[in-house]
């Protein structure tokens, strides 16, 4: 035991102290691949840079993050307000953010162009903010991302974004929404000449992955007797716009009346169930979350995922108990007419 203590004092303790020193936060460590005075933000798929609070020294050779193709720039403090734009596409969980622009038009066009180069049609501006940011990012259980600026909510911590406008935006059209990250503005030096380029981008670094979709259509209003209680299901498509048009056209052609989307899911399953009175219902669910939000490993996992089939049916079941009749995954190609009366 004495020999072990001597060995620990000479070898183990100094080693642990050296490791702890390497892990201590500092401006140099925080900067990583970012310019002086900036630190890395983002996730495994997205890399960005944000100003280090309290850092007030000018930089030498700065540059954009790895995801940007811009030429190196010189960063200094203090910084002035600028424009930042975020662009999303419903068929992927990727997003495109461009920061430190002199005009909103410039920020919007750059982020849109990058999205369109990867996805083609369907790119939309999620939000554009002027000032010092930030954007809040949420992700739902299907892997869809939701982005909104903090400009129209009370100032405060990231939680003020999480639990207010951004959360409502996500929950209004989806389920299983969790806060993911905050994206701050880029650095536009206060003494920069108008038109000088200090743009930094947060773009997908390794390409984009498209979602698989399942959509359910029903006749609107009073349908002919032969089409009552029927639903038209399409799945397997990675283009939501094309899938939507196909299933609505088929529903309208078969029923003779206009149709509307009654349920949808990306990367999950559409669930058909009946309640205690035999009335049919549909809901969206996931069998496995597509992307685990940042920080999820710190949370105590619930026994039942609130986005799972059992939890989603329980939530939608008004006359209990409800019984699951069938599940239809989004990845399998199909165009199917389902009679809910059976």
């Amino acid at each position: 035991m004495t020999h072990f203590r001597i060995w620990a004092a000479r070898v183990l303790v100094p080693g642990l102290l050296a490791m702890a020193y390497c892990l201590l936060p500092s401006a140099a460590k925080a900067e990583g691949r970012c310019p002086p005075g900036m630190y890395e933000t983002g996730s495994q798929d997205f890399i960005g840079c944000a100003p280090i609070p309290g850092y007030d020294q000018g930089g030498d050779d700065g540059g954009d993050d790895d995801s940007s193709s811009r030429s190196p720039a010189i960063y200094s403090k203090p910084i002035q307000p600028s424009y930042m734009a975020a662009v999303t596409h419903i068929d992927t969980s990727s997003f495109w953010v461009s920061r430190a622009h002199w005009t909103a038009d410039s920020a919007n066009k750059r982020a849109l162009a990058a999205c369109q180069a990867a996805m083609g049609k369907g790119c939309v501006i999620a939000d554009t903010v002027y000032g010092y940011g930030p954007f809040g990012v949420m992700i739902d259980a299907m892997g869809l991302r939701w982005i909104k600026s903090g400009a129209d909510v009370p100032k405060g911590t990231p939680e003020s974004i999480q639990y207010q406008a951004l959360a409502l935006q996500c929950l209004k059209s989806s389920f299983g929404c969790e806060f993911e990250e905050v994206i701050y503005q880029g650095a536009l030096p206060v003494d920069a000449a108008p038109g000088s380029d200090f743009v930094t981008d947060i773009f997908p670094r390794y390409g984009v992955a498209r979602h698989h979709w399942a959509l359910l259509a029903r006749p609107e209003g009073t349908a002919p007797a032969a089409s009552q209680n029927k639903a038209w299901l399409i799945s397997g498509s990675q283009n939501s716009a094309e899938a939507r048009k196909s299933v609505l056209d088929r529903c309208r052609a078969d029923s003779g009346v206009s149709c509307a989307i009654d349920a949808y899911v990306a990367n999950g399953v559409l669930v058909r169930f009946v309640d205690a009175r035999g009335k049919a219902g549909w809901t969206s669910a996931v069998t496995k979350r597509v992307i685990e939000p940042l920080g999820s490993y710190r949370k105590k996992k619930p026994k039942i995922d609130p986005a799972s089939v059992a939890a989603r049916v329980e939530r939608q079941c008004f006359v209990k108990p409800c019984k699951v009749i069938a599940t239809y995954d989004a990845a399998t190609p199909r165009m199917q007419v389902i009679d809910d009366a059976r």
Side-chain angles (χ1 to χ4, degrees), residues 50-97:
I52 296 176
Y55 188 96
D56 57 1
Q57 298 179 355
D60 293 323
D61 291 334
D64 294 337
D65 51 281
D66 291 346
S67 59
S68 173
S69 60
R70 293 288 191 171
S71 57
I74 303 299
Y75 289 82
S76 63
K77 285 295 186 90
I79 62 173
Q80 61 177 299
S82 58
Y83 288 92
M84 175 171 65
V87 170
T88 58
H89 193 292
I90 195 171
D91 288 336
T92 180
S93 61
S94 297
F95 61 83
W96 294 259
V97 172

Side-chain angles (χ1 to χ4, degrees), residues 87-92 94 96 111-112 115-126 210 239-242:
V87 170
T88 58
H89 193 292
I90 195 171
D91 288 336
T92 180
S94 297
W96 294 259
L112 274 172
C115 175
Q116 290 166 350
M119 300 297 295
K121 296 180 179 179
C123 297
V124 297
I125 299 173
R210 286 179 172 264
N239 187 313
S240 58
E242 290 182 359

Side-chain angles (χ1 to χ4, degrees), residues 276-288:
R277 297 177 180 174
K279 183 178 179 181
W282 289 82
T283 191
S284 307
V286 295
T287 54
K288 181 180 180 181

Side-chain angles (χ1 to χ4, degrees), residues 133-151:
F135 282 144
V137 183
M138 296 196 80
I139 189 167
D140 66 23
M142 298 182 286
L144 303 180
R145 278 195 172 91
W146 306 77
I147 302 176
K148 188 174 181 64
S149 72

Side-chain angles (χ1 to χ4, degrees), residues 6 70 95 114 141 145 160 169 184 216 225 243 257 313 317:
I6 295 174
R70 293 288 191 171
F95 61 83
R145 278 195 172 91
S160 67
Q169 180 191 46
Y184 294 95
L216 189 79
V257 297
V313 170
C317 181

Side-chain angles (χ1 to χ4, degrees), residues 44-236:
Q44 293 178 351
D45 299 321
F46 302 90
I47 293 296
C49 299
I52 296 176
Y55 188 96
D56 57 1
Q57 298 179 355
D60 293 323
D61 291 334
D64 294 337
D65 51 281
D66 291 346
S67 59
S68 173
S69 60
R70 293 288 191 171
S71 57
I74 303 299
Y75 289 82
S76 63
K77 285 295 186 90
I79 62 173
Q80 61 177 299
S82 58
Y83 288 92
M84 175 171 65
V87 170
T88 58
H89 193 292
I90 195 171
D91 288 336
T92 180
S93 61
S94 297
F95 61 83
W96 294 259
V97 172
S98 192
R99 306 174 298 177
H101 287 262
W102 292 91
T103 67
D105 185 61
S106 173
N108 292 341
K109 284 182 176 179
R110 181 164 175 80
L112 274 172
C115 175
Q116 290 166 350
M119 300 297 295
K121 296 180 179 179
C123 297
V124 297
I125 299 173
D127 207 347
T128 305
V129 62
Y130 175 72
Y132 299 96
F135 282 144
V137 183
M138 296 196 80
I139 189 167
D140 66 23
M142 298 182 286
L144 303 180
R145 278 195 172 91
W146 306 77
I147 302 176
K148 188 174 181 64
S149 72
D152 57 353
V153 297
K155 294 181 180 180
T157 63
E159 286 73 18
S160 67
I161 302 173
Q162 173 184 3
Y163 293 113
Q164 294 181 57
L166 181 59
L168 292 175
Q169 180 191 46
C170 183
L171 291 170
K172 182 178 179 180
S173 300
S174 190
F175 61 97
C177 298
E178 293 189 47
F179 187 72
E180 187 177 35
E181 62 179 309
V182 175
I183 299 176
Y184 294 95
Q185 263 286 7
L188 185 59
V190 71
D191 56 354
S196 53
D197 187 0
F198 287 86
V199 171
T200 58
D201 302 318
I202 303 177
F203 294 163
R205 300 179 64 193
Y206 306 109
V208 298
R210 286 179 172 264
H211 302 312
H212 286 91
W213 290 92
L215 298 94
L216 189 79
R218 288 183 179 279
E220 291 184 301
T222 303
S227 297
Q228 291 180 3
N229 300 316
K230 288 187 177 180
W232 282 256
L233 173 69
I234 189 172
S235 62

